[in-house]
Amino acid sequence: MSRLIIVSNRVAPISEGGPAAGGLAVGVYDALKETGGMWFGWSGDVPTSGQPQIRLEERGPVTFATIGLLRRDYDQYYRGFSNATLWPAFHYRADLVQYDRHEYAGYCRVNAWLAQQLVPLLRDDDVIWVHDYHLIPFAQALRSAGVKNRIGFFLHIPFPASQVLLAVPPHRDLVEALCAFDLVGFQTKPDLRAFCDYVVNEAGGTVERLPDGVARIEAFGQTLVANDYPIGVYPDEVAELAKAGERGKPVRTLKSTLHGRKVIMSVDRLDYSKGLVERFRAFERLLDQHASERNKVSFVQIAPPTRADLHAYQDIRLKLEAESGRINGRFAELDWTPIWYIHRQYERAVLAALFRASHVGYVTPLRDGMNLVAKEYVSAQDPENPGVLVLSRFAGAAQELTGALIVNPLDIDGMADALAAALTMPLAERMARYQDMMAQLRENNVSVWRDRFLRDLTQIGERRGVALPVAHAPQGEARGQVQDAR
Ligand code: ADQ
């Protein structure tokens, strides 16, 4: 069996019991343990002197290979082009895009340098799986170093519509770089469509839609395959964690502080893409327009700051502090705080238990590749008395979790109405929606996601683009269904 090589910007910290974070880290680590292999990426260190050296750490069949980034590399590759240019553009915030050609040069330079560090560690039949927007030029860099292995890429964040992508000056280079992978995976069908649209209409390439929706792409002299692979969770494992924490201290504290009031729960990284300001305002609108809910419900927002060295993140933090203060000042009573705004990180087990203790999961990003919190919230519910998920239509998860109350996060009144409906929904309807979503989560759990991607990648021929994944190869009559081919 081929070894699996995972490449991601950060390598997830792994303790004895497995990864501390959920979703991706757990799913990928399980695959690495099965096939043996390596996880390669930035260590998170920014050494102030000397040339960073790779650190290898063996854990059973898995090698963790990590390396530091010099300050200039961190500033240009990570803080600059990845997080101040690509992140806002890919989340449809062209207004927040900052572009500096030196940062883009740094982004390409660091990708090439990381690829050079990896090359001596590779074996001929390794399968390489690269993750996320920090590493778009990685396959090009490996190819120029002579690497012939199969290389796949999965984008965890949305792929924007062409008119938005055009706001990133090197958009064409980026799409050309993506076309150097053998397989490119997106979270949802709309992301896949946006990519194909760019390839056809901006890059003059061709897209053949094979019978099961897989796209076979020819562009920039390359042939590749693209598809959607919505990432999942392990719903039954989250449910067990949640049940185990039901009588734990965090849940007891929450319940005793709230004196039987209902709880609306949100958990995010503090990011402008998560729609936090609109969410706070919709909760305020609920208290305004549904006066019967006053003093009956509290909204708990857990959001630890991230990327705090970027201006846009300092700005969203200040806005939220102002909003939560204003709304609490307006409605709070001696015995009731409407909004609890908590800037802390909690362990997975604690979050799962808090989800189970909450009546509403309030997940309303303005844009999100998937949003695993939505999937974790549903998984954590008590099957006999489940809470209700209020979910933004702009989260990738909304494509699958149709049992949620789907909202537009820009429609403050609509969100307030959805919160009111969620708080008063009868048990039978809550159970029916929960069962529908849980069935979907079990059918597409994180190992299904990973196995579909790896199956498609390993079935591609030894050299990039010479063959299609066997399972998707067009045959006989099916050829007649090919669309978009130009
Ligand atoms: P994120 O933007 O980080 O991930 P999300 O999917 O919601 O967003 O969360 C990833 C993990 O972090 C989840 O397991 C969640 O429980 C955990 N997490 C989030 N906030 C937390 C907090 N305050 N404390 C502790 N844990 C927290 C990116 C994309 C998403 C995509 C994922 C996976 O932006 O759209 O779903 O990758 O592909």
Side-chain angles (χ1 to χ4, degrees), residues 193-241:
R193 274 202 300 272
F195 179 67
C196 292
D197 176 55
Y198 184 99
V199 164
V200 172
N201 295 310
E202 302 294 334
T206 63
V207 177
E208 281 181 63
R209 284 306 182 104
L210 304 183
D212 55 0
V214 171
R216 182 180 187 276
I217 292 169
E218 287 191 18
F220 303 102
Q222 317 270 18
T223 305
L224 66 146
V225 167
N227 203 359
D228 65 306
Y229 301 88
I231 193 170
V233 295
Y234 285 124
D236 293 304
E237 191 195 278
V238 176
E240 267 169 45
L241 276 180

Side-chain angles (χ1 to χ4, degrees), residues 22-23 87 91 154 156-157 187 231 267-269 274 302-304 344-346 351 368-373 376:
W87 179 273
H91 287 87
F154 183 75
H156 288 262
I157 64 176
Q187 295 275 23
I231 193 170
V267 173
D268 308 80
R269 287 180 305 97
K274 302 288 182 183
I302 297 175
R344 277 192 39 200
Q345 189 96 29
Y346 286 92
L351 285 184
D368 219 328
M370 178 53 60
N371 195 300
L372 293 179
V373 170
E376 290 162 355

